[in-house]
């Protein structure tokens, strides 16, 4: 029997989350065989871990068009487009039905441990581009196998590697030792055990994004019911006009409302803000409470618990034999990185982008979804859907469709210049940087994908 040609091989998609399943749907629509590999036991395994958190995007903004077409014949009922799902809603009412519609094209309990070119390690040039990919997979029972693929779309996200508390990107001294009192996720206060962990206690919240806003709002609600509950908000920069996000200027209203709730928590006294604090060390006092120490020896009053919400970073270990073109700062594709680099701007909106921005020196491999952003924040589901639409069009040989941008993204209303290491005294400056007045980007069908470094 003749071996299949490369074009007859499946496209392996790593991860059955929103972007990975959308990739599967777009590949099916293009007549290309997908194989979606998910390490968890169900679709959206990572999303299910924050099932208690409500999205700031509506149902209408988190359903992929090709996925909806695939779901339509199954009797699937589309949720009200104007309402906001929780992570649990998203997983149960959309991601799992979509995975079910893809049937045997999705495999669970399948962990990808390595990806390479067949017979070629990272060093070898000869015949490299003509070789298919080999994807090494370990099943839940420990069985190992090798799958051959024509292309690889890595949509595995960044959920498994939260960034640590230390301001230098490494765990603060003592952070690992204090692990029993440190969490790296938004707490589910609907769980009695979790609620008891924070009720009546003093909790430090480290971070300045939407997750930190959510944690502050939840702890403020808990403080209204449980005396002694207080949050200490740890910020590496000062408080200025953009600290709480775009507020009413955000074109995703629920996202703007998160920042306003965090602001209310501070103003009501349920949370206190500590600015210009870059954590270096975590110590325990005589009573077992945690003391955070910053550069220069600045010490905070003891806290009972710490919630670290400083972002996530990609797992690139299983891609080590591939030739990826990644930005040295963000670990995002080099052409995409200038669009999303918070060293350059703090805008939450990025020009829609596709295969051109997501390609690597290793042809046929793509990082999509949250993973494509590396360490950068502010990713939207609809961005991932546009990414996989463009990539699957390219894999199908439809370059015109691949380079066409079919997406309008909402602005955050935040335009504050450099977003990572502002000095506390400079935090009041606003309206500077790369963004003009907040507007919705109108990039029409037929426009080429941009590689502009501006907002």
């Amino acid at each position: 029997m003749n071996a299949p040609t490369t074009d007859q091989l499946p496209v392996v998609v790593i991860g059955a989350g929103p972007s990975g399943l959308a990739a599967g749907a777009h590949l099916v629509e293009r007549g290309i065989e997908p194989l979606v590999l998910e390490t968890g036991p169900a679709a959206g395994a990572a999303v299910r871990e924050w099932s208690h958190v409500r999205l700031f995007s509506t149902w209408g903004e988190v359903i992929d068009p090709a996925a909806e077409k695939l779901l339509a014949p199954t009797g699937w009922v589309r949720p009200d487009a104007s309402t906001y799902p929780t992570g649990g809603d998203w997983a149960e009412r959309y991601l799992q039905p979509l995975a079910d519609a893809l049937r045997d094209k999705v495999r669970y309990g399948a962990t990808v441990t390595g990806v390479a070119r067949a017979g070629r390690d990272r060093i070898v040039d000869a015949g490299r581009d003509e070789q298919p990919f080999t994807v090494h997979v370990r099943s839940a029972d420990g069985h190992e196998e090798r799958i051959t693929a024509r292309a690889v779309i890595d949509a595995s996200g960044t959920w498994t590697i939260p960034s640590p508390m230390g301001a230098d990107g490494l765990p603060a001294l003592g952070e690992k030792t204090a692990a029993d009192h440190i969490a790296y996720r938004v707490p589910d206060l609907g769980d009695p055990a979790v609620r008891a962990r924070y009720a009546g206690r003093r909790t430090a919240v480290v971070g300045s994004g939407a997750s930190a806003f959510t944690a502050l709002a939840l702890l403020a609600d808990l403080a209204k019911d449980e005396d002694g509950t207080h949050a200490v908000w740890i910020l590496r920069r000062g408080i200025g006009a953009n600290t709480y996000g775009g507020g009413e200027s955000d074109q995703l209203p629920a996202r703007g409302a998160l920042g306003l709730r965090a602001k209310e928590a501070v103003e009501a006294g349920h949370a206190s803000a500590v600015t210009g604090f870059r954590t270096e060390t975590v110590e325990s006092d005589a009573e077992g409470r945690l003391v955070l120490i910053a550069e220069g020896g600045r010490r905070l009053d003891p806290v009972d618990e710490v919630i670290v919400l400083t972002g996530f970073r990609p797992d690139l270990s299983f891609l080590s034999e591939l030739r990826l073109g990644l930005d040295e700062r963000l670990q995002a594709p080099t052409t995409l990185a200038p669009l999303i680099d918070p060293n350059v701007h703090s805008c939450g909106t990025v020009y829609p982008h596709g295969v051109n921005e997501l390609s690597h020196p290793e042809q046929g491999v793509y990082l999509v979804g949250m993973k494509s952003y590396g360490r950068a924040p502010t990713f939207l589901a609809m961005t991932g859907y546009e990414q996989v639409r463009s990539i699957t069009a390219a894999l199908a040989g439809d370059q015109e469709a691949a380079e066409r941008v079919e997406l309008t993204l909402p602005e955050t209303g935040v335009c504050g210049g450099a977003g990572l290491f502002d000095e506390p005294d400079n935090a009041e400056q606003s309206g500077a940087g790369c963004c003009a007045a907040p507007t919705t980007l109108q990039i029409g069908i037929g426009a080429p994908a941009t590689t502009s470094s501006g907002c």
Side-chain angles (χ1 to χ4, degrees):
M1 182 180 294
N2 293 329
T5 64
T6 299
D7 287 348
Q8 294 174 315
L9 296 172
V11 172
V12 165
V13 180
I14 305 173
S19 295
L21 291 172
H26 281 274
L27 288 165
V28 168
E29 187 175 54
R30 288 282 183 175
I32 301 172
E33 183 72 13
L35 177 58
V36 182
L37 302 175
E38 168 57 49
T39 190
V47 174
R48 292 172 189 272
E49 292 193 25
W50 48 270
S51 60
H52 58 291
V53 177
R54 192 166 297 280
L55 280 69
F56 51 65
S57 297
T58 64
W59 271 115
E61 294 158 337
V62 297
I63 295 173
D64 175 75
E68 187 168 4
K69 290 179 184 177
L70 187 64
L71 283 165
T74 69
W76 175 74
V77 178
R78 192 182 201 273
D80 183 347
S82 65
T83 60
Y84 295 88
T86 63
D89 295 333
W90 201 17
E92 289 296 333
R93 300 180 62 188
Y94 169 65
L95 298 177
Q96 192 62 57
L98 177 55
D100 294 343
L102 287 166
R103 304 177 69 177
D104 59 357
K105 296 174 175 61
V106 179
R107 285 176 50 184
Y108 303 112
T111 300
V112 174
T113 59
V115 182
R117 287 285 187 179
R120 308 289 191 276
D121 65 18
R122 186 187 183 110
I123 299 174
V124 178
D125 288 333
R128 187 176 191 87
D129 290 344
E130 289 73 43
Q131 293 300 109
F133 292 95
T134 57
V135 181
H136 290 229
V137 181
R138 184 181 65 249
S139 64
D141 63 4
H143 174 73
E144 294 182 307
E145 65 176 305
R146 184 184 296 114
I147 296 170
T148 307
R150 62 177 286 190
V152 175
I153 299 175
D154 183 357
S156 59
T158 57
W159 178 254
T160 58
I161 308 182
S163 295
M165 194 189 321
D168 58 4
L170 300 173
L173 298 181
E175 182 172 348
K176 292 182 178 180
T177 303
D180 288 347
H181 296 284
I182 300 176
Y184 298 87
R185 305 287 191 268
V186 175
D188 180 4
L189 299 184
D191 181 326
V194 176
R195 184 181 179 88
R197 177 174 177 175
Y198 299 101
R201 299 194 174 191
R202 183 177 166 88
T203 300
V205 177
V206 185
S208 59
S211 294
F213 294 162
T214 302
L216 289 168
L218 291 173
L219 290 171
D221 289 342
L222 181 61
K224 296 172 185 176
D225 298 329
E226 299 285 349
D227 291 341
T229 303
H230 188 78
V232 182
W233 187 16
I234 310 296
L235 292 159
R236 293 173 183 171
R237 57 192 301 186
I239 292 182
N242 295 329
T243 298
Y244 299 102
E248 294 179 357
S249 297
D250 196 319
Q251 293 182 8
L252 290 177
R255 180 171 58 187
L258 280 176
L260 295 177
R261 287 188 67 194
K263 184 177 181 181
E264 290 171 3
V266 173
E267 292 177 345
H270 299 308
S272 53
V274 177
T275 61
F277 192 94
R278 298 183 173 93
T279 309
E280 213 172 56
T281 305
V282 182
E283 292 183 353
S284 295
D285 68 6
E287 298 177 357
R289 304 179 80 196
L290 302 183
V291 178
L292 307 189
I293 305 170
E295 301 166 343
R298 181 183 175 191
R299 302 170 70 91
L300 298 184
D301 291 337
V303 296
D304 300 290
E305 300 286 337
V306 180
I307 301 173
V308 181
L309 299 168
T310 53
F312 296 85
R313 52 189 62 177
D315 179 5
L316 301 170
S317 61
F318 60 87
L319 304 176
S320 60
E321 292 306 313
L322 298 178
R323 298 174 178 181
L324 302 180
L326 297 176
D327 178 76
E328 64 272 17
R329 296 174 297 277
L330 300 184
Q331 297 176 298
T334 52
T335 307
L336 173 61
L339 295 174
I340 61 178
D341 189 349
N343 285 293
V344 178
H345 59 79
S346 62
C347 304
T349 299
V350 178
Y351 283 115
H353 53 275
V355 67
N356 291 339
E357 290 81 5
L358 297 168
S359 294
H360 294 274
E362 192 81 70
Q363 298 179 28
V365 61
Y366 305 96
L367 312 185
V368 302
M370 283 290 297
K371 192 159 188 177
S372 71
Y373 270 39
R375 299 191 183 200
T378 67
F379 186 82
L380 295 174
M382 61 183 90
T383 299
Y385 298 159
E386 174 65 4
Q387 290 176 340
V388 298
R389 183 207 61 79
S390 174
I391 288 167
T392 54
L395 290 173
D398 188 349
Q399 197 62 26
E400 186 276 331
E403 296 185 357
R404 186 173 67 233
V405 178
E406 299 182 356
L407 179 65
T408 298
L409 286 172
E411 287 277 5
T412 65
V414 177
C415 295
L420 288 183
F421 202 81
D422 286 1
E423 294 298 330
D425 292 344
N426 295 333
E428 293 298 330
Q429 297 179 7
S430 62
C434 61
C435 303
T439 57
T440 300
L441 294 172
Q442 299 287 352
I443 301 181
I445 293 176
T450 180
T451 57
S452 167
S453 62
C455 287

